[in-house]
Amino acid sequence: MPQTYTHTFDTPVYKGSVTINTGLFIGGQWVDPVDGGNRIDVVDPSTGKVITSVAAGTSKDVDIAVATAEKAFKTSWGLKVPGAERGRLLGKLADLVEQHADELAALEALNVGKPFHVAKMVDIMTEVINTLRYYAGWADKIHGKTIETNENKMAYTRHEPYGVVGTITPWNLPLGAATLKLAPLLATGNVAVVKPSEITPLTALYFANLINAAGFPPGTVNIINGYGNTVGEAMSMHQSIRAITFTGSTLTGRRILKASAESNLKKVALELGGKSPTIVFDDADLEQAIKWASRGILCVYLYLCQVCVAASRIYVQEGIYDKFLQGFREIAEALTTATGGPFEPGVRHGPQVSNLQFERVMGYINSGKAEGAKVLIGGERHGDTGYFIKPTVFTEATADMKIMKEEIFGPVCSIVKFKTEEEVTEWANNTTYGLGAHVMSENVARAIRMASNIEAGSVWVNSGWATEVGVPFGGYKQSGMGREYSQYALDTYTQVKAVHINIGRRL
């Protein structure tokens, strides 16, 4: 029988006990992997200690989950269930998440290392609950079109689900990212096989029981813990998975796209890496620009700076460069004094998610130093327990440095002086990525012009990263394909069928 794990929280910000199943969730039941007792340790990034372990699935378990999902699609979900009923169940699931928001936030904070109140208000209340309710409203509004051709013919389109959709989610926003995929795919009548990150699987396992409690038919959602090179690879190559959606690194995204080509040409949606610029012009509101730019990279909002759209390249026009640098430094230094574990009061900056990620970020910091960038603040470990890194700001970086070209995924940024709009536009676009960008200017014409000229899927003007469930999000270039959030996400999970009906032509 699958094991369970209970964690007791006795902290200043949350007290309570939370129990999860640590097995595989297939057909609405908890099961052990086919191959038995392999386990994956789950680590607390603020201490480096093991929290618990979860079962590790293999390709054999993926096969079982896919067959179970296929059966559910053909018999008890898909177009067998009216959109209004699908919406009702999504709404009920949102209500259950809201009832258990504290437990989910506690698990998310424990597993990822982000402050408890951020996990609750951002991850659970905003990303999960709002998304479920938004797509609950769309479930009975999946419409085709009637197309005029001639008097002897009627033509119309149907937007139909694919069937089994593989869903591979990241470690930085575990449940939020999973919901961004599950809500629209369920609303459109698909079924899912989900692989949560092996680093942060805890909230997905708790969420599984809420799916049962909401009344979804068994097999509608199946969750397989495991590694990318086993479970993820099996899902990417599976002949009966008709679409796959992934959030994570560009390198892994390429592998999934290649697997699709080598298997069954499954539909692929990818939300990948970024190297987003923030551009601050002389005419910007300086105080606001400093605050928004710091939010965009040092993560006054999400605190861990482990988000794909983090604006790690900050370009400041020469007329205000010195004043901007001084104000930005003060905010960054304040974060160092507010660094700590997820359940400590007043914490605004947490650890990297794992030792591997800690070493990776420190490698970039050391690379910046070696290539000649100047460390304004930070540039070293914080404390001697857990995976904490001091917020790090580089100056005098050049475009050929690794820290300016590659995604760091940590609290590291470079502030660079520029002269002209033409110059900074070229610099901003000089990257293989194109996920997001930020423009700070009180000149409306310039702001609109820059938003048009920057090669990115999202541009925020006089603000920092802040997604909205009704506005699409996704990347240009190697930042991915497809869109999440909004009505646009429905296109990822539906295929269009054209129906031609002869109403008068005779041969």
Side-chain angles (χ1 to χ4, degrees), residues 257-272:
L257 196 58
K258 182 180 179 182
S260 169
E262 293 176 347
S263 56
N264 62 344
L265 287 177
K266 56 178 63 66
K267 172 74 174 288
V268 177
L270 304 171
E271 201 271 275
L272 306 176

Side-chain angles (χ1 to χ4, degrees), residues 87-326:
R88 185 189 70 80
L89 293 175
L90 284 167
K92 188 172 181 180
L93 181 57
D95 293 342
L96 288 168
V97 170
E98 188 169 33
Q99 293 170 26
H100 296 275
D102 282 347
E103 295 97 317
L104 285 163
L107 287 174
E108 201 87 317
L110 175 69
N111 202 171
V112 185
K114 63 183 64 177
F116 170 77
H117 69 280
V118 173
K120 182 176 180 179
M121 298 310 299
V122 178
D123 291 45
I124 306 305
M125 301 301 290
T126 300
E127 294 291 344
V128 178
I129 296 173
N130 287 357
T131 300
L132 288 170
R133 287 178 175 154
Y134 178 83
Y135 286 106
W138 270 110
D140 60 355
K141 302 173 184 67
I142 312 301
H143 298 156
K145 296 179 179 179
T146 301
I147 301 170
E148 181 179 354
T149 57
N150 60 66
E151 62 181 3
N152 293 318
K153 184 179 189 179
M154 175 183 179
Y156 63 91
T157 58
R158 289 167 55 88
H159 290 225
E160 297 182 347
Y162 283 92
V164 183
V165 177
T167 300
I168 303 176
T169 60
W171 48 256
N172 60 334
L173 296 166
L175 192 56
T179 305
L180 280 177
K181 303 173 189 307
L182 284 172
L185 79 82
L186 291 171
T188 49
N190 295 280
V191 292
V193 176
V194 181
K195 189 199 93 66
S197 168
E198 66 273 17
I199 300 172
T200 55
L202 300 186
T203 46
L205 298 176
Y206 189 94
F207 187 67
N209 286 328
L210 300 185
I211 291 171
N212 271 350
F216 284 87
T220 307
V221 178
N222 307 273
I223 299 174
I224 309 295
N225 310 314
Y227 293 105
N229 61 3
T230 52
V231 172
E233 182 75 13
M235 290 170 62
S236 301
M237 293 294 296
H238 207 287
Q239 295 288 339
S240 296
I241 290 180
R242 303 301 174 87
I244 192 163
T245 174
F246 167 77
T247 297
S249 72
T250 299
L251 179 62
T252 303
R254 287 197 190 102
R255 292 179 62 183
I256 292 171
L257 196 58
K258 182 180 179 182
S260 169
E262 293 176 347
S263 56
N264 62 344
L265 287 177
K266 56 178 63 66
K267 172 74 174 288
V268 177
L270 304 171
E271 201 271 275
L272 306 176
K275 192 68 179 173
S276 301
T278 291
I279 302 168
V280 184
F281 287 95
D282 283 347
D283 60 12
D285 181 322
L286 182 59
E287 180 182 357
Q288 285 297 304
I290 291 169
K291 290 179 179 179
W292 283 115
S294 66
R295 171 171 165 161
I297 177 62
L298 296 175
C299 295
V300 177
Y301 190 53
L302 287 178
Y303 310 108
L304 306 183
C305 213
Q306 298 176 129
V307 287
C308 51
V309 78
S312 59
R313 298 181 296 149
I314 302 175
Y315 299 104
V316 183
Q317 203 161 20
E318 56 187 0
I320 59 170
Y321 178 83
D322 292 337
K323 290 182 178 179
F324 180 93
L325 203 62
Q326 179 182 350

Side-chain angles (χ1 to χ4, degrees), residues 10 30 67 129 156 183 225 229 335 354 387 393 435 455:
D10 186 12
W30 293 100
I129 296 173
Y156 63 91
N225 310 314
N229 61 3
L335 285 182
S354 66
Y387 309 130
V393 180
L435 192 56
E455 298 167 352

